[in-house]
Amino acid sequence: MNDRKKPTGDALRSYVIDNIDRAVDEGWIRVWYQPVVRTLTGEICGMEALARWEDPVYGLLNPDEFIPPLEQAKLIHKLDSCVIRQICRNYAGTMAKTKQTVAVSFNISRLDFALCDIHQVIEDAIRENKVPREAFRVEITESMMEAAETRLQEEIEHFWDRGLRVWMDDFGSGYSSLNVLKDYHFETLKIDMIFLSNFNARSQEIVKSVVDMAKRIGVHTLAEGVETKEQLEFLKSIGCEQAQGYFIGRPMPHRESHEYLKKHGFVLENPVKRQYYHDIGRINVLSATPMQFVRDNETESVYREGQIPLAMIEYANGDLRYLFANKSYMTTLEHLGIHALSQIEEEFKNPHSTLRGKFLAMILKAIETDSVQAIDFVRADSHCYAQVRRIAGFPGGDAFLCILQNLSEDRLIDKAAHLTDYLHSLCTIYDRIELIDMKTGMSQNLYRSAQTIRDYNQIPAQEELRLYAKEEIYPEDRDRFHAFADLETLEKRIDESDYHYVSAPFRTRIGSGTFIWTLYAFLYAGEPGERMILSCYRRLAPDVLKYARGMMRADLTSSGKNSENIFSPELLWKNFTLYSDTAFFWKDRSRRFVGANQQFLNYFGLESVSEIIGRTDEEIGWHVDPEPIRVDEERILSFGEQTFLVPGTVIRKGEIRGIIASKMPIYRDGEIVGLMGYFLDVTDLQEQGGSADALSRKDPLTGSLSLMGMVEAVLRFQDSFVFKGTDFAIMVFDIDHFHFFTQDYGREWCNHLLQEVSRRIRTATGTKDVTGRMNGDQFVIVRQFEDRKELDETVKKVIKKIESIREIDDIPCTIYMAGAYSVYSEVKNLQKMFSDAEEAVSAQKPHRNP
Ligand code: C2E
Ligand code: CA
Ligand code: CA
C-alpha cells in the first residue's frame, strides 16, 4: 500500500470519479465508526458511520478528498448506497455475534434525493439484513436547508414514516436559526464542532443557549468535536445529552471500534434504555421551573443553573443512583455535611436507614400518582424538604428529577418559626403533623412524609377527621377513633392526662389494601392557653404491636359482645361450607391450600381436603398455565387487590374445563394473612350457548384460541373434509428473535407485543378464519379455502400488518415475521400438516448463533 504517490487536485478528482464503481464493487469503500457517548451515564449510545476509501494503490483517502468530486460528478449516491448497505450488514453481523449493538447514524447528501430513490435503498438494505429500523438515524446537514427546497420537509417526513429518525448535522456552521428548525422534524441537533474548537466563555454561552432552545422545541442535542474532559463535563452540566469527538474515540474500522470500546472500558447502552434516556433528555436543567416541564410559555431564557438545587436520580432493581446533580445541589449537600453523592448512594443501600425508607415511599408514590411528591426530613439540625417527580422509565427502573431544599436556611416556614425547634424533634418521630387552631376549628399541615394520605382542603378540622376515619381507618376501629378525635372533649382529655398528651393506636390504611397499626397523638403546641394543638401520627413498628393488641382486647371486652343472635358467624360459615353449590377455597400467604368446601372437593373428585392442604396450585398441577394465576394471587396477597370473574382453565379428571374465578384477600387484625376464592365452571354454559369461543379454548393473554381450541377447530375441519371434501390449510407465523425481546424488554412488554400481534392478525383475517396462538410467539390461522392464491395473499397480508408495528408501550421496535402454510389434502395427516408448516416457517428464519 501507499507505494505510489497519491495524486492531488484535478488528478485525484478524476481518479475518484473514474474509479467509484470499482471502489464500490471491490470493497475499497469502507465504513468507519466513531463512538457517541451519553453524557449522563458515560455509556456508548451510538456510532456515526463515516466513509473511507481504502485505495489499493494510494492508500487511505479521506472524505474531503472523494466526497466533493463525487458530488460534482453526481455520483455521490453510489457511495452513500454502498455505505448504507455496509452498515446494515455490519449491524446484522454484530447482532449475530454478540447481540451488543448500538444505534448508527449515517450521512446522506442532498443530491441523493435526485440521483436515486434513497428511501428505497435504505429500506432494501434494512430488509435484506433483517435489522431493526429504529437503530438507524439519517444525518442531514444544515446546508441542505439553505437550498430552500420545500421538498426537503417531505423527504424528512418520509424517513420518519419509514421508522427512521432524522438528525440535523453541523448545526451552527451555516446561517439557519432555530426558528427555521422548528418547521422541520428533527429528533436531534448535532451542534457543530466549531463551537468547541474555540472553547471559551463566549462559546460556552452559545452552546448553552442552543441546548436551552433546542429543549424548548423538544429537540435532543449532541455536541461534536469533544476533545477534552472539561468539554465533556461542561456538556453534561448544561444537559447536552450526547457527545462525539476524539476525546471519546476517533473513527475506526468496524472490528476495531468494538475492540477499542472494550479495551477502554466503555459500556454499551442497553437499547431498552434509549427511550428512557430520551425522556430524561427532555428535561431542561437550565430552566427556572424544571419540575413543570414547561417549554412553551417560558419567554425569556433564564440561566438559573446554580440556583435551584437539582439532581436526577435513577431507581432500578432496588438501588438508587445519581445520574446528575448541579452545583447548587452539591452546595446544599455540603451544608448538610455530605461531601459526595456516593455518600448518599451508600446510605440508600442500608435497609435500616430511615431516610432510605422515607425516600423510597416518596418515589413509589410519585410513580403511582404521576405527580410531584415531597418529604420533609431533618439532617444535621436542618429541616430539609425534597421534591421528586418521575420523568422517565424503562422496564425495571425509573428516573426522577429531585429538588432539595434546606428550609432552615431558606426560612420558608416562618409562620411556624416558633415551632421549628419543637417540630424538628417531632418530625423524626412522626409521619405527619397537623396544627389545629381550636379557636377557629381549622387546621394546617406542618409536616408530612410521603406515605401520608391526601389533603382535605379548607374544611373544619373536626369534619376532616371524620372523613379521614371513613377513608383510612379500619372499620372496626372507627368508633374508637371518633371518640379519640372528638375535638369537643379533646382539651379536657389532654388536661387530665398525665403528660398533657393523649395517644392511641388505630389500624390505618396504607396503599390500596393493607391496614397497619398507627399511633395517633394530640398534644399542645406552646402554652395551653393558646389553644393550638398538634395532631400527629406515625406507623408502629412490629414490636409495639403486641402492646397495641393488648389495648384492643381490652377495648373489645369493654364494648361487650352484642350478639343475642342465634346465628353466630361460626354457624353460618359451617353451613355455607357444607351446603353451598359454589366451589370455594382458601389459602395462606404462601399460596398453599388451607381449606376448601365440600362442593370444591366434589368438583375435583377429591376424597378429602387433606389431598390439597399445604400444597400450591403448581404442585397440584391442575392449571394448564399456572403463571397468570400465581401473578394474580401475589397481587392479592401483597396489595390487597381483588380479582373478579377472571376466566381461566383447569384440568378436571383429565378434561380441560373453562372456569371464571373471583378472589379476595383475608384480613386478620388489618394484615393480609391469606386469600379466598370461588369459581364457576362455565364450559357447559358455553357449550349450551353453542359459541365457538368457549372460554376454555381461549388464550387468556390474547383472547384468540389456545392450543386446545385450535386442535378442536382443526378436528372439525377434518370432519368436514372427510364428509364434504372441503380442503383447508393451516398458516403458521412466528416472530423472529422473540427471545431477544424477552431478554431486552421483559415479560410484560412481550405480553403487550403478543396482544398487539394477535389483534392485528385478527383484523387481517376474515370470518371463516380461525385464529389462535400456539406456544409463545407462534400464531396460527386455520381456513377452509378454494384457491391457494388467497392463502399466499393472506400470509403476505398478515406479515405486512405485523411488520408495520413500530412501537409497543412507546418503545420503538422492529418486528420480522416468518409465515408459511400447509394444505390438508396434500398430507391427509394433521400432525404432519402442523409440522410441515412449522418447518417451512423456520426455513425462512435467519439462522444465527444464539
Ligand atoms: P461530519 O458528518 O460532520 O463528520 C464528522 C467529522 O468530524 C468526521 O470527519 C470526523 O472524523 C471528524 N471529527 C470527529 N470528532 C472530531 C474531533 O474531536 N476533532 C476534530 N477535529 N474532528 C473530529 P470525516 O470522517 O473526515 O468526515 C468529514 C465529512 O464527510 C463528514 O462530516 C460528512 O459530512 C462527510 N461524510 C463522511 N462520510 C460520509 C458518507 O458516507 N456520505 C456522505 N454523504 N458524507 C459523508
Ligand atoms: Ca455527520
Ligand atoms: Ca457534523
Side-chain angles (χ1 to χ4, degrees), residues 70-227:
L70 290 175
E71 288 195 326
Q72 277 156 25
K74 301 206 185 315
L75 295 170
I76 186 69
H77 61 293
K78 298 197 173 186
L79 174 95
D80 286 341
S81 310
C82 171
V83 166
I84 288 162
R85 285 194 297 268
Q86 215 174 103
I87 59 178
C88 289
R89 267 204 309 277
N90 286 344
Y91 195 97
T94 313
M95 257 168 88
K97 266 205 278 322
T98 63
K99 161 129 202 358
Q100 287 266 59
T101 53
V102 286
V104 177
S105 66
F106 57 89
N107 299 279
I108 59 163
S109 161
R110 181 172 49 92
L111 297 174
D112 289 338
F113 296 119
L115 296 173
C116 66
D117 184 349
I118 192 71
H119 301 288
Q120 198 56 45
V121 169
I122 299 171
E123 182 68 18
D124 289 347
I126 286 181
R127 293 202 142 260
E128 223 158 83
N129 294 285
K130 293 208 162 186
V131 288
R133 282 178 194 79
E134 63 276 10
F136 300 97
R137 291 98 180 79
V138 186
E139 294 193 10
I140 289 177
T141 59
E142 187 192 354
S143 59
M144 283 168 81
M145 290 162 58
E146 280 161 28
E149 282 164 88
T150 40
R151 283 197 38 95
L152 186 59
Q153 250 158 332
E154 284 167 41
E155 303 282 10
I156 291 175
E157 277 320 310
H158 207 124
F159 286 124
W160 281 101
D161 290 344
R162 295 213 180 204
L164 295 162
R165 293 130 197 252
V166 184
W167 287 8
M168 156 164 269
D169 200 1
D170 301 336
F171 180 80
S173 64
Y175 302 98
S176 50
S177 69
L178 275 155
N179 267 340
V180 178
L181 203 76
K182 257 203 303 224
D183 302 333
Y184 293 83
H185 187 186
F186 291 114
E187 185 198 47
T188 299
L189 197 66
K190 291 188 82 168
I191 302 169
D192 196 76
M193 56 186 86
I194 195 157
F195 296 109
L196 294 189
S197 65
N198 186 5
F199 192 59
N200 53 33
R202 202 183 115 72
S203 66
Q204 288 182 18
E205 269 320 296
I206 297 174
V207 175
K208 256 190 190 176
S209 76
V210 170
V211 169
D212 183 42
M213 288 188 291
K215 292 207 177 186
R216 285 182 207 205
I217 58 171
V219 176
H220 298 276
T221 47
L222 184 160
E224 294 189 280
V226 179
E227 295 187 348

